[in-house]
Amino acid sequence: MLEKVKRFNWIMFAAMLALVAVGTVAIWSAGNARDQRFHGMWISNLQAAAFGLVLYLSLAFTDYRRFLELLAWPLYAGALAMLVAVLFVGDTVYGGCRWLWFFQPSEVSKLCVIALVASLLGGGDEWFCRLRPTFRGFLVSALLVGAPCALILAEPDLGTTLTLAPAILVMMFAGGVWRRGLALMVAAGALTVMAVLCAVYEAEKPGVPAERREAILRYTPLKEHQVKRVRVFLFPDDDPQGSGYNLRQAKIAIGSGGFTGKGIGKGMTNHLKYLPPAVSLNDFIFCVYAEETGYVGSLVLLALFLALLLPCCWIAFKSRDGRGRLLALGMSSLVFAHVYVNIAMSIGLLPITGLPLPFVSSGRTFLVTVMCGLGLVQSVSLHRGLEE
Amino acid sequence: MKRGEPQESDIVSGAVCWATAALFLLGFTVLAVKLKEVQVTDSAAYGYANARQSVRRVQTCGARGRILDRNGEVLAENRPSLSIVCYPESFQKKTWDETINGIVGSAALVGEAIGRAPDCSEAAIRRHVRESLALPLVAFRDVGERELAVFSEREREFPGFEVRETDERVYPKGALAAHLLGYVGRDRGEAIAGDEKFNFFMPEMRGRAGLEVYYNSFLRGVGGERKILVDARGFAIREWTVVESRKGPDLELAIDARLQAVVERELSGLKGACVVMDPRNGEVLAMASAPGFNPNDFVPVLRPGLYERYAKDPSEPLLNRASGGAYAPGSTFKPITALAGLSSGFSPSETYDCDGVFELGLMRLHCSSRWGHGPVDMRHALMKSCNPYFCSLAMSVGTNAVMSAARAFGLGSKTGLDLGVDMAGVVPDSGWKSSMYHERWYQGDLAQMSIGQGMLLVSPLQMARVAGALGTGMLATPRLKKGLSPELRPIPFSKAQLAVVRSGMRMVVAGDGSSRGTGWRAGEGVAAEVCGKTGTAEIGRGATRRKNTWFIAYAPAASPTIAVAMVVENGESGGGTTAPKVGAVLKAVFGESGRTGPDADGG
């Protein structure tokens, strides 16, 4: 036990607690701007964090290798089942069918997929070891990852898929899956994104007749609301009162925060509801935070995330075990993707998409999921060099 | 469990871990750089955008200055007026229609409670919500004491409604000097879109007539600035004052309210006008027009139908006859004709044998004395207002001399009065006549003009100036505001010439020792030597024939301090109708003398 405690990564742990604290304040402020029901949001979020902390510590002191051996496949199967179930019996919120009773299966499934991929590629399954560098191995792992992704896309929840994809890619690359295939896939993906962006640009640039616009957009896989988001991304100043409203208000909130911010609880854009209250607690929580704490606060937040993520890389490096390394890299990549996409979309670096900012956004399922995942990473740290 | 050196994984190389860490660092660096651009470099622009969208800037108006007479008597001031206003933010609903319906419904309830219909229609509420949401909406303007009592008692039943105090204009002396003072209206509050300094202008009192218009920018207060913080839908969150508004200065008039009341009393029930001024500096002491109106009927809002009633009234109560009425001056013009003669070398002692009519070709101009005055010199011609004398005088000196004398007295041009209503009148000449009537100028026109008839048109104000100028030799620009620097212009006649006319005008009132002058009633009982001239201008022919009766005067004769001109429409004669009224005015100025005039027993 003492051995384990010695290997406990305190930096990562402290960074996580600090992020929970930051999140609590941000949720308190964003909740206060909304009606009575949301004023206590920060408390329930803190309760979820406490629950997550228990799971975190339990998982940290459990040997991740045993965890993966026992639970990787059952969790994966369970996640698939829930994702199927949510399509039929889930509750629809804001146009996406994401809720199953009290939680969002897509959030939980992120962890399950990462666990499975870590177990599979890290050498947990004997039968896969020989397949790994071959095309068939690539195919198998792509199918295993693709199934839940397809189900999440069907909800539809593009954002979750988009953040899961880079994490899986990092893991597959690190795990030595048929690299030529991976490279092709990445290249194809990049080309598709470029092509779609160019198509939307061509279709939406000023002076394009409606028929031509229709003709171009028919060849893109985007739905109308997605086209709108991409258009806002490409032409952010075109329609500040309409489709560009959210982005404009997000930028006003962040920008007007200035260097030192307006003070906790004093974000005008948030409290006067210019920042759409429907998204200020979740997808746009960074705006609330950045308005109140300014550039200093933004840097502190980025530093805290680095303090959380870099130890993960360190743990992966020190682990020398395939599964441990993949788990740590996968989890940290997942968190990184969320942080990057969430902040980047708020300042117009990426098109707007609905994604929570880990620890800061309200969202209990995701919070608990991320804490569990980081608990597993902590477990990798604790069990470094120990035989099973 | 057994301790052992960990084996390097053969599957995942350590370099990947470093690469991932590098990726994280790179990503966060990109974010940090972009965030610096947004939060530091462009922060001011976003802060400005933030302030623009969430703060409404309101220009408040300062209290309007009062209008005082020369002795500090209040002629126009502001009274506190209580309104019941409604705060739209208390009626926030999901949709605008629900919000508007909520306000309409609640306003109706309040109206039911206090027993009067709201002053805001649904359309007005809709417009207010669309344009001025952040401001309170005046639901009941200027509520009475009883209504207020009911409302205050039940105020808790009507959340979102509140009593607010505003200013309203009031004219404490009612109809007194109404044409001078005018009245105010209130602008509609303006909502300004775009990048202006203010989003809203509070409805400000604005002069609509009279001095309230002319001195509007003088009287109006200095606007203040309030800011209202609004939420994303535009509802007010809180407001604060940035710059306090300041009260406008009081306007002190040269008018003497007491004298004004005397003048108006003399004119009451008649149609006519009177101007009393100080010829030494042009200060207008009284200026009245009858019939009049009560400016309090026009504030705070003109009652529907009232304006039409005033406007359609054939006696034209809204017309300021004193400076805007165009009348033929009649015989009050004769002193000017006399001066025209004198300056052309006509001898004042030359006599003319008046036989009661002046004949020129086919035209016959009758004299006031049916059988003629017999031989008269200039002084007696003035005293007796002998028409043929002045006709023949004009014939001998010509049109130009009369014309330039009339212009020298400021006729035919604006007086420069500090009031919007300032009629120039008409001094006809051949050019004017040919352009108006396509007819040439006949000698008959000159004959008519010499006795103040025909096409000549003047205002009572102009004639008051003339009276003053005759007395002092200086033509004064009339001033309503006290303390303006006087503007005096000498008239181009010698002392000797003026002396002749003055003694003639003195004789009009005082007689020549053997008989009364036509205007003797103007001097009766006045404790000053009055000089004057009567006038009876005939207008129309046959059934519509009527007479406008004039009297102009100045006093005291030696060094005039008062000049008066009065016209009464449809009077009998200048001497009979108007002179006694002018006398009453002069008595009010100079006091009454014990005796009835030095020459009252004469003639």
Side-chain angles (χ1 to χ4, degrees):
Chain A
M1 190 68 189
L2 193 63
E3 299 274 343
K4 288 187 183 177
V5 174
K6 267 190 192 161
R7 291 189 172 90
F8 193 84
N9 193 313
W10 293 103
I11 297 178
M12 188 178 104
F13 184 69
M16 186 182 79
L17 293 184
L19 283 167
V20 168
V22 167
T24 305
V25 172
I27 292 165
W28 170 79
S29 186
N32 277 347
R34 299 191 62 176
D35 58 54
Q36 201 68 40
R37 283 178 298 144
F38 296 91
H39 289 184
M41 198 72 153
W42 64 279
I43 300 174
S44 60
N45 218 72
L46 215 50
Q47 286 163 348
F51 177 63
L53 193 64
V54 172
L55 290 182
Y56 177 93
L57 291 174
S58 322
L59 287 171
F61 287 93
T62 309
D63 192 331
Y64 66 97
R65 288 164 290 201
R66 281 192 61 77
F67 178 85
L68 290 181
E69 274 164 23
L70 278 176
L71 289 174
W73 283 100
L75 278 177
Y76 178 75
L80 278 187
M82 288 188 304
L83 286 174
V84 172
V86 82
L87 288 181
F88 294 101
V89 297
D91 296 326
T92 303
V93 176
Y94 297 132
C97 184
R98 299 175 188 175
W99 287 86
L100 195 60
W101 302 300
F102 57 91
F103 73 108
Q104 292 175 287
S106 60
E107 305 292 5
V108 179
S109 65
K110 291 175 189 169
L111 180 59
C112 300
V113 171
I114 286 173
L116 179 79
V117 173
S119 165
L120 197 66
L121 300 185
D125 296 272
E126 292 292 331
W127 61 271
F128 190 77
C129 284
R130 278 171 295 111
L131 285 180
R132 189 157 23 94
T134 67
F135 173 68
R136 276 165 64 196
F138 172 73
L139 211 60
V140 168
S141 45
L143 276 176
L144 285 172
V145 172
C149 283
L151 286 169
I152 294 171
L153 268 182
E155 284 185 10
D157 187 350
L158 182 65
T160 297
T161 325
L162 281 180
T163 47
L164 191 51
I168 301 294
L169 276 177
V170 166
M171 292 171 79
M172 285 170 87
F173 184 79
V177 173
W178 189 53
R179 292 207 169 144
R180 207 183 297 165
L182 269 183
L184 272 175
M185 212 167 83
V186 170
L191 276 177
T192 311
V193 170
M194 290 294 286
V196 167
L197 281 182
C198 290
V200 174
Y201 182 85
E202 276 301 311
E204 296 284 1
K205 73 181 176 188
V208 175
E211 314 87 68
R212 185 170 154 71
R213 176 179 178 275
E214 286 302 313
I216 297 174
L217 290 178
R218 201 175 308 139
Y219 293 104
T220 66
L222 301 180
K223 300 199 178 73
E224 190 56 42
H225 79 274
Q226 293 166 323
V227 172
K228 235 181 233 171
R229 285 176 175 182
V230 176
R231 186 181 65 206
V232 170
F233 170 66
L234 292 171
F235 309 102
D237 300 324
D238 262 12
D239 187 12
Q241 290 305 316
S243 50
Y245 182 81
N246 284 14
L247 176 61
R248 171 151 179 82
Q249 292 305 332
K251 280 172 126 176
I252 286 179
I254 297 169
S256 66
F259 191 71
T260 50
K262 298 177 186 171
I264 304 291
K266 290 178 186 161
M268 225 207 292
T269 316
N270 166 36
H271 283 276
L272 299 179
K273 299 179 186 157
Y274 287 92
L275 203 58
V279 290
S280 64
L281 270 165
N282 303 296
D283 307 344
F284 281 116
I285 192 96
F286 177 72
C287 309
V288 175
Y289 172 79
E291 183 181 20
E292 296 186 349
T293 61
Y295 189 52
V296 173
S298 305
L299 288 184
V300 166
L301 188 72
L302 290 181
L304 285 178
F305 276 117
L306 276 183
L308 183 80
L309 297 177
L310 291 183
C312 292
C313 300
W314 177 247
I315 288 167
F317 178 71
K318 293 296 269 186
S319 165
R320 308 193 172 211
D321 166 50
R323 283 169 293 176
R325 277 192 170 167
L326 287 182
L327 202 54
L329 291 181
M331 262 323 289
S332 55
S333 300
L334 181 73
V335 171
F336 170 77
H338 275 92
V339 174
Y340 186 82
V341 173
N342 182 285
I343 295 179
M345 76 170 190
S346 313
I347 50 181
L349 278 179
L350 285 178
I352 286 178
T353 176
L355 260 192
L357 183 62
F359 300 106
V360 186
S361 289
S362 81
R364 287 169 286 184
T365 318
F366 184 60
L367 178 62
V368 172
T369 305
V370 171
M371 289 180 87
C372 287
L374 292 173
L376 286 175
V377 176
Q378 191 67 269
S379 166
V380 175
S381 177
L382 295 192
H383 298 90
R384 152 170 45 104
L386 296 177
E387 295 289 327
E388 268 183 63
Chain B
M1 273 193 250
K2 169 180 119 191
R3 268 193 86 167
E5 270 304 297
Q7 293 297 303
E8 174 69 36
S9 165
D10 56 340
I11 299 166
V12 185
S13 76
V16 175
C17 304
W18 295 117
T20 310
L23 176 75
F24 294 168
L25 277 172
L26 178 70
F28 281 13
T29 308
V30 170
L31 289 183
V33 168
K34 179 69 182 178
L35 276 169
K36 177 158 187 283
E37 184 192 312
V38 175
Q39 294 195 283
V40 180
T41 317
D42 297 340
S43 173
Y46 288 115
Y48 180 71
N50 184 34
R52 291 270 358 152
Q53 71 180 5
S54 54
V55 177
R56 301 281 182 272
R57 294 161 312 284
V58 183
Q59 188 181 44
T60 55
C61 34
R64 196 176 174 86
R66 298 178 299 169
I67 301 180
L68 310 173
D69 91 333
R70 67 184 304 118
N71 303 313
E73 283 237 44
V74 179
L75 301 179
E77 63 182 339
N78 305 318
R79 65 179 168 85
S81 154
L82 299 173
S83 299
I84 299 178
V85 299
C86 153
Y87 293 92
E89 55 269 26
S90 307
F91 296 89
Q92 286 187 58
K93 296 274 159 46
K94 271 240 162 58
T95 68
W96 292 116
D97 278 332
E98 283 176 72
T99 306
I100 291 163
N101 290 338
I103 296 174
V104 173
S106 305
L109 284 181
V110 177
E112 225 168 84
I114 67 171
R116 85 180 232 199
D119 291 331
C120 49
S121 62
E122 186 178 338
I125 294 174
R126 194 167 287 276
R127 197 180 58 218
H128 184 91
V129 166
R130 194 175 59 237
E131 291 175 359
S132 333
L133 186 63
L135 300 178
L137 166 76
V138 179
F140 300 90
R141 191 180 295 282
D142 204 13
V143 289
E145 233 169 81
R146 197 192 55 79
E147 295 160 327
L148 193 70
V150 175
F151 177 77
S152 309
E153 202 173 287
R154 298 176 58 185
E155 195 168 359
R156 310 177 92 205
E157 296 172 41
F158 309 115
F161 285 87
E162 207 179 275
V163 175
R164 231 187 207 200
E165 191 182 303
T166 49
D167 280 351
E168 292 296 357
R169 202 65 161 165
V170 66
Y171 302 93
K173 299 210 180 292
L176 186 83
H179 294 98
L180 278 186
L181 299 175
Y183 48 89
V184 296
R186 213 178 259 281
D187 288 346
R188 215 182 86 200
E190 250 182 297
I192 306 291
D195 215 33
E196 306 291 328
K197 183 165 188 292
F198 292 105
N199 300 106
F200 302 113
F201 292 90
M202 291 304 277
E204 191 180 359
M205 280 185 220
R206 182 185 290 271
R208 296 262 195 259
L211 288 165
E212 295 273 28
V213 171
Y214 192 89
Y215 283 109
N216 188 58
S217 52
F218 176 86
L219 287 165
R220 62 185 290 196
V222 181
E225 185 180 354
R226 278 177 84 67
K227 284 187 173 178
I228 306 176
L229 191 67
V230 295
D231 68 9
R233 296 179 77 196
F235 289 107
I237 302 295
R238 69 190 159 83
E239 52 181 298
W240 66 98
T241 299
V242 183
V243 181
E244 289 283 359
S245 62
R246 277 179 292 139
K247 185 181 176 307
D250 290 341
L251 175 65
E252 278 185 277
L253 298 183
I255 294 290
D256 181 335
R258 193 187 53 84
L259 188 61
Q260 177 82 19
V262 170
V263 170
E264 292 194 7
R265 194 188 64 219
E266 289 303 315
L267 286 172
S268 68
L270 301 170
K271 285 196 273 180
C274 177
V275 175
V276 182
M277 59 188 274
D278 185 336
R280 294 167 298 178
N281 50 24
E283 286 189 350
V284 177
L285 302 173
M287 183 161 156
S289 174
F293 61 93
N294 188 341
N296 289 316
D297 290 345
F298 291 75
V299 290
V301 279
L302 186 58
R303 276 192 292 284
L306 193 67
Y307 188 82
E308 280 89 77
R309 225 178 65 213
Y310 275 130
K312 283 186 183 145
D313 190 331
S315 64
E316 297 179 88
L318 295 179
L319 172 68
N320 182 358
R321 290 169 159 83
S323 60
Y327 296 93
S331 304
T332 55
F333 186 74
K334 284 173 183 163
I336 297 174
T337 309
L339 282 169
L342 292 171
S343 66
S344 306
F346 196 89
S347 162
S349 51
E350 196 170 310
T351 57
Y352 174 86
D353 193 5
C354 169
D355 57 3
V357 66
F358 179 76
E359 289 180 61
L360 185 74
L362 290 174
M363 190 178 75
R364 293 166 63 86
L365 277 168
H366 287 277
C367 190
S368 52
S369 164
R370 176 124 199 195
W371 308 114
H373 295 111
V376 284
D377 66 357
M378 185 176 277
R379 291 184 182 83
H380 283 86
L382 280 170
M383 173 183 134
K384 294 178 172 166
S385 201
C386 176
N387 286 344
Y389 176 92
F390 286 99
C391 292
S392 87
L393 184 151
M395 293 304 112
S396 68
V397 299
T399 307
N400 283 345
V402 180
M403 225 62 93
S404 56
R407 298 224 165 87
F409 277 96
L411 301 184
S413 53
K414 288 178 179 295
T415 61
L417 179 73
D418 45 350
L419 189 69
V421 185
D422 183 11
M423 198 210 50
V426 176
V427 174
D429 58 18
S430 58
W432 182 87
K433 193 185 173 194
S434 68
S435 76
M436 289 297 285
Y437 296 103
H438 306 289
E439 262 185 59
R440 69 180 195 86
W441 183 256
Y442 297 107
Q443 283 296 90
D445 294 320
L446 175 59
Q448 291 276 13
M449 188 175 154
S450 69
I451 56 169
Q453 299 273 26
M455 288 166 278
L456 194 63
L457 288 176
V458 300
S459 70
L461 175 67
Q462 284 175 323
M463 288 317 287
R465 278 179 98 195
V466 169
L470 287 168
T472 61
M474 304 288 265
L475 188 68
T477 303
R479 305 289 201 199
L480 284 168
K481 185 172 185 259
K482 193 169 144 187
L484 289 177
S485 61
E487 236 176 68
L488 298 167
R489 197 179 71 208
I491 47 174
F493 303 104
S494 71
K495 276 200 170 142
Q497 291 162 354
L498 283 169
V500 174
V501 175
R502 283 172 187 161
S503 68
M505 287 178 73
R506 176 65 190 140
M507 281 156 67
V508 168
V509 178
D512 62 356
S514 59
S515 60
R516 281 173 174 159
T518 51
W520 65 273
R521 289 184 180 88
E524 205 180 19
V526 178
E529 294 193 337
V530 179
C531 301
K533 182 71 196 79
T534 56
T536 308
E538 294 186 12
I539 320 162
R541 289 181 192 285
T544 62
R545 183 171 172 274
R546 59 190 197 278
K547 289 185 275 188
N548 290 339
T549 55
W550 281 90
F551 197 81
I552 64 170
Y554 64 86
S559 58
T561 57
I562 287 292
V564 186
M566 183 188 279
V567 64
V568 174
E569 294 179 25
N570 311 329
E572 277 304 312
S573 68
T577 311
T578 315
K581 294 182 179 299
V582 171
V585 171
L586 291 171
K587 268 184 255 177
V589 176
F590 296 107
E592 269 178 76
S593 65
R595 53 208 178 101
T596 53
D599 304 302
D601 50 346

